[in-house]
């Protein structure tokens, strides 16, 4: 009797998980593994996203990383760069220092509304008439009232001026408050705890004042952006225990610049001021009109970018040199921001 052939078992269809049910993801703090998710699963226009990245690649970019809830959506490198390659991120470093200062403030070791002289001693500026009234908050909000020679131009707290020599004084402030070097402090409270193993502060005297500038990989920039997206928590652990710090630092601080907080750039205002002389006029509109209104950003010279968008659960990082679209070498905000977000907007469909 001939046996009847048995049909092969039918494989069940693959289970498609609704991405909205996925919990936030945090990459391990050691090793190179990092979960990914396809843009198509998130409803992104994949062709538009590819076009946006291709365009970024023509703009002297060396790395782009896009995260959604911590998972890598896209990661691209150019000019021989790899995930392990690091380079300075210029003034995007400022937002990292903001987070570290926030942790010292939470622990009671740093008082933002105390005079900077409490930590630096008298004579740190060339402005004896106002020095004792310049607070740590004034330095963090770029409203010290000083010029690049640390001389008084306007009264502290009254005007925005993107002043790197004054900003550099904050390194002396946090080191005095903590009793640690900036690298030891950063590794203890932040870098080691979220896996920023490719980041180091390097001494910098480009302004004539001793300061520090961060060298990071694109993935480390993304890790920091992910921490900010989660208001200082990493996989449920409070790294920066005061989650309200990000809310405070993402609130407009200078009285004449709705686009700046405590060492963070803000997009949701009706006007803003860019780096430049005190007499520069206020610009109407949002910082990056095509970007979501809740976008906040760490921005650095040479178009180093860490964009954080809470409403879309996104972190977008760009490393590289000053983009051709910028038309120069701006200190922070540039025309590249708007031109790229016009393309990214098509991809993310917001």
């Amino acid at each position: 009797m001939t046996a009847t052939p048995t049909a092969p078992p039918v494989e069940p269809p693959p289970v498609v998980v609704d991405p909205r049910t996925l919990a936030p993801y945090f990459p391990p703090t050691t090793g190179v593994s990092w979960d990914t998710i396809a843009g198509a699963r998130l409803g992104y226009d994949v062709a538009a996203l590819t076009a946006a990245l291709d365009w970024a690649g023509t703009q002297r970019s060396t790395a782009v990383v896009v995260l959604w809830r911590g998972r890598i959506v896209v990661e691209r490198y150019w000019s021989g760069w790899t995930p392990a390659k690091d380079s300075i991120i210029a003034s995007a470093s400022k937002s990292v220092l903001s987070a570290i200062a926030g942790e010292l403030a939470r622990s009671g070791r740093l008082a933002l509304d105390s005079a900077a002289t409490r930590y630096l001693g008298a004579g740190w500026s060339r402005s004896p008439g106002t020095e004792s009234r310049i607070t740590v908050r004034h330095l963090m909000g770029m409203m010290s009232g000083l010029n690049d020679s640390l001389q008084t131009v306007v009264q502290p707290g009254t005007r925005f001026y993107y002043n790197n020599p004054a900003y550099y004084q904050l390194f002396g402030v946090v080191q005095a408050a903590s009793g640690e070097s900036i690298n030891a402090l950063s590794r203890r409270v932040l870098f080691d705890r979220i896996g920023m193993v490719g980041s180091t502060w390097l001494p910098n005297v480009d302004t004539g004042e001793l300061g520090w500038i961060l060298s990071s990989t694109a993935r480390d920039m993304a890790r920091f952006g992910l921490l900010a997206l989660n208001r200082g928590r990493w996989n449920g652990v409070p790294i920066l225990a005061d989650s309200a710090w990000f809310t405070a630092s993402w609130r407009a601080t200078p009285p004449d610049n709705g686009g700046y907080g405590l060492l963070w750039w803000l997009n949701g205002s009706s006007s803003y001021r860019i780096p430049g002389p005190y007499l520069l006029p206020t610009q109407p509109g949002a910082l990056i009109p095509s970007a979501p209104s809740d976008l906040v950003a760490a921005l650095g010279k040479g178009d180093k970018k860490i964009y954080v968008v809470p409403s879309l659960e996104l972190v977008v990082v760009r490393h590289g040199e000053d983009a051709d679209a910028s038309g120069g070498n701006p200190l922070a905000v540039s025309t590249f921001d708007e031109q790229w977000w016009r393309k990214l907007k098509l991809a993310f469909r917001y």
Side-chain angles (χ1 to χ4, degrees):
M1 183 175 180
T2 304
T4 303
T6 303
V10 177
E11 293 289 334
V15 176
V16 178
V17 178
D18 183 344
R20 292 171 297 180
T21 67
L22 295 175
Y25 167 80
F26 298 85
T29 56
T30 58
V32 298
S33 63
W34 199 313
D35 279 4
T36 63
I37 189 168
R41 287 191 60 194
L42 304 173
Y44 296 165
D45 185 321
V46 176
L49 183 56
T50 299
L53 264 69
D54 287 346
W55 180 79
T58 71
Q59 295 295 308
R60 304 180 72 192
S61 299
T62 53
V64 168
V65 181
V66 177
L67 306 182
W68 176 82
R69 288 191 188 173
R71 296 167 179 83
I72 293 176
V73 180
V74 288
E75 181 176 28
R76 287 262 201 103
Y77 295 93
W78 297 268
S79 302
W81 270 55
T82 68
K85 172 71 174 176
D86 70 281
S87 185
I88 61 169
I89 63 171
S91 286
S93 309
K94 289 181 170 73
S95 303
V96 179
L97 185 63
S98 174
I100 292 167
E103 177 60 12
L104 291 177
R106 180 206 64 80
S107 66
R109 302 173 78 177
L110 178 64
L112 267 63
D113 293 313
S114 286
T117 54
R118 173 178 173 181
Y119 305 97
L120 299 174
W124 62 267
S125 75
R126 298 172 185 88
S127 182
T130 64
E131 181 181 274
S132 63
R133 291 187 281 116
I134 299 171
T135 67
V136 177
R137 189 184 302 274
H138 290 150
L139 294 175
M140 294 187 71
M142 296 290 181
M143 50 184 184
S144 65
L146 304 176
N147 62 16
D148 287 351
S149 297
L150 301 183
Q151 298 168 321
T152 298
V153 176
V154 299
Q155 291 302 305
T158 63
R159 295 294 303 275
F160 172 84
Y161 177 65
Y162 196 76
N163 187 330
N164 279 328
Y167 155 73
Y168 278 165
Q169 308 308 311
L170 287 168
F171 289 94
V173 168
V174 298
Q175 289 178 116
S178 66
E180 298 175 86
S181 71
I182 187 60
N183 272 305
L185 173 63
S186 300
R187 284 193 295 269
R188 179 177 64 81
V189 304
L190 180 59
F191 295 171
D192 289 351
R193 302 182 71 193
I194 68 171
M196 289 178 65
V197 297
S199 294
T200 304
W201 292 100
L202 303 175
N204 191 40
V205 291
D206 62 333
T207 69
E209 297 290 328
L210 175 61
W212 298 82
I213 195 164
L214 194 63
S215 186
S216 289
T217 66
R219 283 193 169 194
D220 276 9
M221 295 165 73
R223 284 176 182 270
F224 177 71
L226 180 59
L227 180 74
L229 181 67
N230 288 276
R231 301 298 202 283
R233 299 184 71 85
W234 189 267
N235 202 20
V237 177
I239 302 299
L240 305 176
D242 184 3
S243 62
W245 174 256
F246 285 97
T247 301
S249 59
W250 294 347
R251 185 180 300 125
T253 302
D256 61 338
N257 191 356
Y260 203 75
L262 295 176
L263 301 177
W264 283 89
W265 289 94
L266 319 175
N267 195 43
S269 62
S270 59
S271 64
Y272 63 94
R273 295 190 67 212
I274 61 174
Y278 279 99
L279 296 178
L280 274 181
T282 298
Q283 303 292 321
L287 190 72
I288 310 173
S290 291
S293 62
D294 66 330
L295 175 145
V296 296
L299 303 176
K301 183 178 179 179
D303 289 308
K304 278 73 172 175
K305 314 289 185 183
I306 305 174
Y307 306 110
V308 179
V309 188
S311 62
L312 300 180
E313 301 182 270
L314 276 175
V315 174
V316 181
V317 164
R318 187 267 186 187
H319 214 323
E321 302 302 322
D322 49 302
D324 294 334
S326 297
N329 198 6
L331 289 176
V333 185
S334 79
T335 54
F336 172 83
D337 295 288
E338 171 62 12
Q339 292 190 50
W340 200 28
W341 274 97
R342 286 179 187 172
K343 302 175 190 304
L344 291 171
K345 182 175 185 176
L346 301 176
F348 298 142
R349 295 174 168 171
Y350 54 87

